[in-house]
């Protein structure tokens, strides 16, 4: 049985030919190399015809050295042209969705170009593409995908009203270790933007002959304990069948709405008086309390001032004329209330439906679940428990 024919490398052949020209006896030299004299003669003929281009390697084409240079240049040119063709076709995919879209382009063109060539043109590692094609997602990408889903969930849970700072706070509470800048980056990437504030009109009627209290607060709204400073205001809400009016009383200490009332008119008995009754039922007045409001008749009239005066520890305070900054705390609540509840409505609601939503906003959302920047990104309950 004949043994397998030995294979010789092109470098071996080239060196053998070069040495053969220095030998006087080719047959003896061939035997020294372990090849037959005819084979050596064949190699010499090939070299004499093609030069070093006679040994191009497995699968190569025999040609003269000068032809080889031209061939290589043409090969490089063809490669460059094909690279440009791939890039030109793939650019529109790159502009769509980045790498994910480029992966799709590579998959669609596997029969036209080599995967290696396409990955090289777009600077993509072949293993990364293979993983994408086989549905394998890296652990890092899986974590980012999960985090983005959590951010999106919180964004819609809080009625599109939370920016990156508050959403970061919520994520930290849920065990995530992440910076606000990273959350802001992902929110921008997903087009999740907090709804902008909108201006609204006030309902203050200060054209009356009732006594106007001095501005005791003078814009100093900080208090270090409950029931030291309460602020109050009234706003209107448009419904399908007319206006309703919301009166609120807020304790400045923890921003809680401790008293509120909804009414179909602006009478004192339906606005400030019921809101006050709710406030004193919910929060005890132990020491001196400052009650601050605007100059509206609902606060200045005899019925309401007599009610306040029946508590000997209450000091009345009113904003200066046409100066809403003097009652900024109450105004700030109404900005929040209208931005987070009213301005996201696409149509007017009935009075019954609107009153139900206002109740839910104040009692379940604002007083219980919402985190407040002024409370170091805590809910009212968390703030009170930590003090």
């Amino acid at each position: 049985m004949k043994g397998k024919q030995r294979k010789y490398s092109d470098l071996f052949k080239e060196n053998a030919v070069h040495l053969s020209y220095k030998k006087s006896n080719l047959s003896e030299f061939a035997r020294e190399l372990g090849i037959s004299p005819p084979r050596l003669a064949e190699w010499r003929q090939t070299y004499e015809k093609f030069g070093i281009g006679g040994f191009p390697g497995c699968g190569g084409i025999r040609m003269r050295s000068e032809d080889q240079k031209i061939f290589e240049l043409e090969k490089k040119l063809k490669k460059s042209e094909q690279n440009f063709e791939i890039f030109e076709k793939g650019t529109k995919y790159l502009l769509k969705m980045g790498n994910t879209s480029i992966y799709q382009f590579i998959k669609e063109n596997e029969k036209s170009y080599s995967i290696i060539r396409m990955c090289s043109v777009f600077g993509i590692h072949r293993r990364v593409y293979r993983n994408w094609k086989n549905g394998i997602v890296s652990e890092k990408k899986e974590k980012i995908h999960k985090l983005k889903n959590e951010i999106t969930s919180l964004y819609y849970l809080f009625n599109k009203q939370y920016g990156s700072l508050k959403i970061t706070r919520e994520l930290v509470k849920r065990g995530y270790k992440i910076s606000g800048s990273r959350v802001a980056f992902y929110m921008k990437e997903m087009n999740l933007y907090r709804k902008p504030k909108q201006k609204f009109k006030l309902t203050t009627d200060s054209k009356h002959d009732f006594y106007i209290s001095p501005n005791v607060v003078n814009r100093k709204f900080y208090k270090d304990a409950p029931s030291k400073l309460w602020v109050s205001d009234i706003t209107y809400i448009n419904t399908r069948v007319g206006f309703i009016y919301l009166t609120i009383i807020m304790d400045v200490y923890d921003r809680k709405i401790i008293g509120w009332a909804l009414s179909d008119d602006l009478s004192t008995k339906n606005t400030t008086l019921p809101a006050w009754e709710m406030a004193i039922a919910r929060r005890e007045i132990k020491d001196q309390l400052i009650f601050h409001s605007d100059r509206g008749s609902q606060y200045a009239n005899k019925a309401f001032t007599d009610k306040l005066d029946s508590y000997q520890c209450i000091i009345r305070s009113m904003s200066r004329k046409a100066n809403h900054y003097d009652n900024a705390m109450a105004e700030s609540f109404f900005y929040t209330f209208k931005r987070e509840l009213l301005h996201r409505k696409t149509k007017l609601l009935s009075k019954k439906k609107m009153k139900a939503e206002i109740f839910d906003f104040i009692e379940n959302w604002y007083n219980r679940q919402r985190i407040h920047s002024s409370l170091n990104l805590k809910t009212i309950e968390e703030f009170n428990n930590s003090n």
Side-chain angles (χ1 to χ4, degrees), residues 217-246:
V217 174
N218 197 25
R219 301 186 186 178
K220 296 178 181 179
F221 292 105
Y222 172 77
K223 291 298 176 183
D224 58 1
S227 295
K228 287 192 173 182
L229 173 59
W230 292 357
V231 296
S232 182
D233 203 354
I234 303 172
T235 193
Y236 74 96
I237 299 132
N238 200 6
T239 71
R240 194 186 305 159
V241 288
F243 295 111
I244 56 176
Y245 301 92
L246 172 62

Side-chain angles (χ1 to χ4, degrees), residues 221-231 250-256 283 329 374-375 380 383-387:
F221 292 105
Y222 172 77
K223 291 298 176 183
D224 58 1
S227 295
K228 287 192 173 182
L229 173 59
W230 292 357
V231 296
M250 172 195 289
D251 192 322
V252 168
Y253 169 69
D254 58 2
R255 290 3 182 220
K256 186 172 184 177
R283 189 153 287 188
M329 295 295 295
S374 55
L375 303 181
I380 292 173
F383 174 79
N384 286 321
N385 289 339
S386 63
N387 292 319

Side-chain angles (χ1 to χ4, degrees), residues 302-325:
K302 189 174 186 302
F304 188 70
T305 56
D306 284 350
K307 174 64 70 173
L308 295 187
D309 290 341
S310 67
Y311 297 83
Q312 296 181 355
C313 56
I314 294 178
I315 299 173
R316 285 184 284 154
S317 174
M318 288 185 174
S319 303
R320 288 166 292 186
K321 187 175 182 180
N323 198 324
H324 61 274
Y325 290 109

Side-chain angles (χ1 to χ4, degrees), residues 135-149:
I136 301 172
V137 181
S138 69
E139 184 178 351
K140 181 180 179 181
K141 288 188 176 180
E142 184 67 31
K143 286 182 179 179
I144 292 175
H145 179 71
K146 182 180 179 182
L147 178 61
K148 284 184 175 181
N149 284 341

Side-chain angles (χ1 to χ4, degrees), residues 4 74 92 131 156 212 214 219 230 265 276:
K4 290 184 178 179
E74 290 177 345
K92 61 180 181 181
N131 287 343
Y156 287 103
I212 301 299
R219 301 186 186 178
W230 292 357
D265 60 57
W276 173 262

